[in-house]
Amino acid sequence: MRALVAAHRGDRGALLPILHRIQAEFGYVDSDVVPVLAAELNISRADVHGVITFYTDFRSEPAGRTVLKLCRAEACQSVGAEQLVAHAEQVLGIKCGQTTPDGSVTLEQVFCLGNCALGPAGQVNDRVRGRLSPARLDALLTETVNR
């Protein structure tokens, strides 16, 4: 982690790129890095913690092997996103922001994937999908989780 900090030490606003690199490398930002980053960047622990908790892209614990993001923005809401989220929560047995007990799926809500014309939209790992229905979502999860 100190090498990641060193690579960005001279950058203005170095905290965000460092946090993104930590998340990319480790899958989440462990709370143990907060005091280290604060000391290395000469900022307060509260500032580091505030950035981590403000941006929803940063996780404080590892995600599941499959990350399912469902759009809840207005365009997707108008074509059934809320029912899709309710279906996903019921099928997976978790709420948005949680990971299944076996670590297979993390369910997240987002507020736009830029796929508004094909709502309700979702993202399975890094692939955006459109026109999701409960049946299509179940098939995608079965295909992805069983890989």
Side-chain angles (χ1 to χ4, degrees):
M1 191 194 63
R2 290 188 198 279
L4 294 176
V5 172
H8 292 280
R9 185 174 307 282
D11 297 351
R12 185 174 178 181
L15 182 57
L16 278 174
I18 291 168
L19 289 171
H20 281 290
R21 295 219 22 222
I22 290 170
Q23 175 120 339
E25 187 162 327
F26 302 106
Y28 69 107
V29 180
D30 193 298
S31 61
D32 291 343
V33 307
V34 171
V36 175
L37 288 176
E40 290 287 325
L41 297 172
N42 195 29
I43 57 178
S44 73
R45 290 179 184 193
D47 286 338
V48 176
H49 176 76
V51 169
I52 293 168
T53 57
F54 178 78
Y55 292 103
T56 58
D57 283 345
F58 296 123
R59 293 186 180 87
S60 58
E61 51 191 48
R65 292 178 298 281
T66 297
V67 177
L68 171 61
K69 297 180 181 185
L70 295 177
C71 180
R72 296 181 91 170
E74 289 81 3
C76 285
Q77 281 183 27
S78 70
V79 290
E82 293 306 310
Q83 295 85 350
L84 189 64
V85 169
H87 174 78
E89 289 179 338
Q90 192 236 344
V91 167
L92 296 170
I94 57 173
K95 298 286 185 193
C96 285
Q98 296 180 330
T99 300
T100 56
D102 66 358
S104 63
V105 180
T106 295
L107 178 60
E108 297 178 347
Q109 63 182 356
V110 293
F111 290 93
C112 193
L113 291 167
N115 201 25
C116 305
L118 299 175
Q123 182 173 324
V124 180
N125 293 327
D126 293 325
R127 188 160 181 201
V128 175
R129 304 296 187 122
R131 300 192 203 277
L132 290 176
S133 64
R136 184 153 186 247
L137 180 62
D138 291 347
L140 286 170
L141 284 173
T142 299
E143 172 187 323
T144 305
V145 172
N146 292 332
R147 279 187 183 167

